[in-house]
């Protein structure tokens, strides 16, 4: 088998890239380790930057997003029993859209199937060969048979635990990592969201986030110990802890109910450089990870896809390789700004085990400065709604 581009990974990065390439007549096959149902069972991001929305519109998969997504013109920041609003629309002219990553992925799969584009699920032992040559190819096992696909390029969209990043030799790769001494315990519940905007809350007991998927589906997170397991938390214990971390007047109107999903995500900042090695290009979580505080994970994957898609399009349509040659440098410029914002916002709102009283005073002063200073709010809003591509 031969295609122009092999895309490893059938998450949002791989599917968005595949859909954009398909619309330009560039043939790509997606190799996915899991089943489609498994991919769609993962509950992850919830907030889309305008840039990502534009990418989904360009891919022709934004119709349901615009019908069912929630336009949010700002967010709430709560600390102790106080809460203030940051007005994205007034400060930047731009909103964000709340629409779950699961739905984005579902829309992309539906479009891919409608287009008759090839996705191979439940592949095993994927290996990339000759990435630093002019004739790369990918091998994988499916139902006990080894297969080979020859191609022009390989897009590594296989997430943090994938094979693509590991294919780049250690002597070539530079990795930067910061781990956080806590995780996020998240639940999904068929309850009415407690507020019509997201609430990012900092309290002496730790961070909490009140989010949503629709008018009857809420998504909540609380900072938890790395040693915690979802089974350690009953629904009631979660609700009681969440109420302790958000302002009293909000807690009083919190609608509780059974969790339909409960999981813990570790927090990590991670970047690998370069994001290209020969004819292998890394996209999304395969190249970088952010703590979810700033809602940048999925959205930074989208800007990687924007750069790579346009580089490939110009290669095939204009014989121009500048976009591909500049891909890593261009993508990393935006990646590091997303890393910085996510790291800063996580440091602002979470409680760290080794924090000194002085550190706490700095956090309080930082939050108060964000509350009181318009230029700080504008800088926050510009980062949150998404820096330019
Ligand atoms: P993904 O990891 O989504 O997709 C990679 C795909 O590649 C997967 O389907 C995987 O099965 C497949 N794969 C892996 N290895 C393979 C192989 N060898 N062969 C074939 N296929 C392979 N971001 C936010 O903005 N907000 C959040 O709240 C948030 N919560 C998160 C919670 C968790 C637990 C995780 C892990 C991430 C979270 N993220 C969040 C970040 C997340 O949304 C990612 O940024 C987003 O999924 C990136 O998409 P992809 O790059 O496609 O990677
Ligand atoms: C979510 O709704 O899952 C969500 C929203 C904003 C974040 C992280 C997660 O920063």
């Amino acid at each position: 088998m031969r295609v122009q581009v092999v895309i490893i990974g059938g998450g949002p990065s791989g599917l968005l890239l595949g859909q954009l390439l398909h619309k330009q007549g560039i043939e790509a096959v997606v190799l996915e380790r899991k089943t489609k149902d498994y991919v769609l069972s993962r509950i992850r991001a919830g907030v889309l930057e305008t840039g990502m929305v534009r990418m989904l519109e360009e891919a022709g998969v934004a119709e349901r997003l615009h019908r069912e997504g929630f336009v949010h013109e700002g967010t709430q920041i709560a600390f102790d029993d106080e809460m203030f609003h940051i007005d994205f629309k007034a400060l930047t002219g731009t909103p964000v859209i709340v629409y779950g990553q699961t739905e984005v992925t579902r829309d992309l799969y539906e479009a891919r199937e409608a287009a008759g584009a090839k996705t191979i699920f439940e592949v095993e032992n994927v290996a990339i060969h000759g990435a630093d040559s002019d004739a790369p190819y990918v091998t994988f096992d499916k139902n006990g048979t080894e297969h080979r696909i020859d191609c022009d390029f390989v897009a590594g969209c296989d997430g943090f635990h994938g094979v693509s990043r590991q294919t780049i030799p250690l002597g070539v790769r530079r990795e930067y990592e910061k781990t956080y001494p806590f995780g996020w315990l998240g639940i999904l519940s068929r309850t009415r969201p407690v507020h019509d905007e997201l609430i990012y809350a900092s309290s002496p007991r730790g961070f909490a986030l009140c989010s949503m998927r629709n008018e009857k589906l809420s998504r909540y997170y609380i900072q938890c110990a790395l040693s915690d397991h979802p089974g350690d938390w009953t629904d009631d214990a979660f609700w009681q802890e969440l109420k302790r971390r958000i302002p009293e007047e909000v807690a009083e109107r919190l609608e509780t109910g059974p969790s339909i999903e409960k999981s813990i995500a570790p927090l990590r900042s991670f970047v690998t450089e370069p994001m290209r090695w020969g004819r292998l290009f890394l996209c999304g979580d395969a190249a970088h990870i952010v703590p979810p505080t700033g809602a940048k994970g999925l959205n930074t994957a989208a800007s990687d896809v924007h750069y790579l898609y346009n580089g490939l399009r110009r290669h095939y349509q204009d014989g121009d390789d500048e976009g591909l040659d500049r891909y890593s440098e261009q993508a990393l410029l935006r990646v590091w700004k997303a890393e910085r914002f996510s790291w800063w916002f996580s440091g602002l709102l979470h409680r760290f085990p080794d924090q000194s009283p002085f550190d706490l005073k700095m956090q309080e002063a930082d939050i108060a400065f964000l509350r009181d200073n318009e230029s700080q709010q504008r800088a926050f809003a510009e980062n949150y709604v998404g820096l330019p591509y």
Side-chain angles (χ1 to χ4, degrees), residues 361-376:
K361 280 296 180 187
M362 287 301 97
Q363 261 186 345
E364 284 172 26
D366 224 346
I367 293 173
F369 185 57
L370 180 62
R371 178 194 61 205
D372 303 335
N373 185 287
E374 184 177 311
S375 56
Q376 182 74 341

Side-chain angles (χ1 to χ4, degrees), residues 7-16 30-35 38-40 42-48 101 105 109 120 122-127 140 156-164 184 200 209 213 219 221 261 263-266 283-302 304-305:
I7 298 173
I8 303 176
S13 295
L15 293 170
L16 179 55
V30 170
L31 302 181
E32 168 52 50
R33 177 166 60 180
K34 300 292 187 182
T35 63
Y38 183 94
V39 174
L40 291 175
R42 293 188 296 228
I43 306 295
R44 289 189 175 167
V47 173
L48 306 185
Q101 173 175 324
T105 311
Y109 268 121
I120 304 175
E122 298 182 280
V123 298
E124 296 176 298
N125 307 318
V126 172
F140 63 94
C157 302
D158 48 349
F160 186 68
H161 301 291
V163 66
S164 299
W184 277 19
Y200 287 89
L209 172 59
R213 292 294 180 268
R219 179 71 168 162
Y221 298 94
E261 193 270 352
S263 55
I264 290 180
C283 251
D285 278 19
H288 44 73
I289 296 286
V290 285
T293 322
K296 292 291 154 239
L298 177 59
N299 291 299
T300 309
D304 293 349
V305 169

Side-chain angles (χ1 to χ4, degrees), residues 1-11 14-19 21-23 26-33 36 108-123 140 142-143 147-150:
M1 183 180 179
R2 170 174 244 289
V3 294
Q4 290 165 297
V5 182
V6 171
I7 298 173
I8 303 176
L15 293 170
L16 179 55
L17 178 63
Q19 192 59 21
L21 292 175
H22 181 84
K23 286 178 75 74
I26 299 168
E27 192 190 10
V29 64
V30 170
L31 302 181
E32 168 52 50
R33 177 166 60 180
K36 185 174 107 173
L108 284 165
Y109 268 121
E110 277 178 18
R112 188 163 184 78
E113 287 156 8
K118 192 170 185 62
T119 305
I120 304 175
F121 293 101
E122 298 182 280
V123 298
F140 63 94
K142 170 87 177 166
N143 301 329
H147 299 264
R148 167 175 170 150
I149 306 179
D150 291 86

Side-chain angles (χ1 to χ4, degrees), residues 17-18 47 50 59 104 111 122 127 131 160 231 233 250 269 281 297 299 311 314 325 336 383:
L17 178 63
V47 173
T50 308
V104 170
E122 298 182 280
F160 186 68
W233 288 82
V250 177
S269 298
F281 295 83
N299 291 299
R314 288 169 59 187
D325 293 341
W336 279 112
N383 279 280

Side-chain angles (χ1 to χ4, degrees), residues 8-261:
I8 303 176
S13 295
L15 293 170
L16 179 55
L17 178 63
Q19 192 59 21
L20 289 163
L21 292 175
H22 181 84
K23 286 178 75 74
Q24 295 295 327
I26 299 168
E27 192 190 10
V29 64
V30 170
L31 302 181
E32 168 52 50
R33 177 166 60 180
K34 300 292 187 182
T35 63
K36 185 174 107 173
D37 287 346
Y38 183 94
V39 174
L40 291 175
S41 69
R42 293 188 296 228
I43 306 295
R44 289 189 175 167
V47 173
L48 306 185
E49 295 173 356
T50 308
M52 170 136 202
V53 173
R54 278 200 301 268
M55 296 286 294
L56 292 167
E57 288 168 347
E58 187 174 351
V61 296
E63 189 268 332
R64 188 162 73 103
L65 154 66
H66 285 303
R67 195 173 67 244
E68 298 178 9
F70 285 65
V71 176
H72 279 211
E73 298 192 350
T75 193
Q76 302 289 327
I77 306 284
F79 69 112
D80 298 340
D81 220 27
E82 191 182 338
M83 194 154 86
F84 61 93
H85 178 236
I86 297 185
D87 190 336
F88 302 149
K89 193 78 186 253
L91 292 162
T92 69
T94 308
V96 293
I97 291 190
V98 172
Y99 186 71
Q101 173 175 324
T102 307
E103 303 319 313
V104 170
T105 311
R106 193 189 316 280
D107 295 341
L108 284 165
Y109 268 121
E110 277 178 18
R112 188 163 184 78
E113 287 156 8
K118 192 170 185 62
T119 305
I120 304 175
F121 293 101
E122 298 182 280
V123 298
E124 296 176 298
N125 307 318
V126 172
I128 302 165
H129 309 269
D132 57 340
S133 78
D134 287 339
Y137 64 94
V138 175
T139 57
F140 63 94
D141 294 338
K142 170 87 177 166
N143 301 329
T145 305
E146 183 177 86
H147 299 264
R148 167 175 170 150
I149 306 179
D150 291 86
C151 55
D152 299 332
F153 300 102
V154 180
C157 302
D158 48 349
F160 186 68
H161 301 291
V163 66
S164 299
R165 185 175 69 252
Q166 310 301 335
T167 300
I168 302 178
L170 276 174
V172 175
R173 272 184 357 230
R174 298 179 301 282
E175 296 187 349
Y176 305 83
E177 182 166 27
K178 176 183 180 58
T179 56
Y180 297 80
F182 40 76
W184 277 19
L185 168 63
I187 73 162
L188 203 56
S189 65
R190 296 195 197 289
T191 53
R192 178 180 38 77
V194 73
H195 198 286
D196 58 6
E197 291 191 331
L198 271 60
I199 301 175
Y200 287 89
S202 168
S203 85
R205 299 179 67 91
F207 170 82
L209 172 59
C210 303
S211 185
M212 65 203 68
R213 292 294 180 268
N214 60 47
E215 299 95 334
K216 299 189 178 70
L217 192 60
S218 299
R219 179 71 168 162
Y220 294 104
Y221 298 94
I222 57 173
Q223 172 185 344
C224 68
L226 279 176
S227 53
D228 279 4
H229 299 282
D232 297 339
W233 288 82
T234 63
D235 287 356
D236 187 50
F238 179 92
W239 293 120
Q240 290 315 311
E241 188 57 38
L242 176 64
K243 285 180 178 177
R244 293 188 193 106
R245 299 190 187 187
I246 56 181
E248 198 172 329
E249 48 107 8
V250 177
E252 282 166 0
R253 60 173 191 268
L254 179 69
E255 182 184 335
T256 64
S259 61
I260 58 173
E261 193 270 352

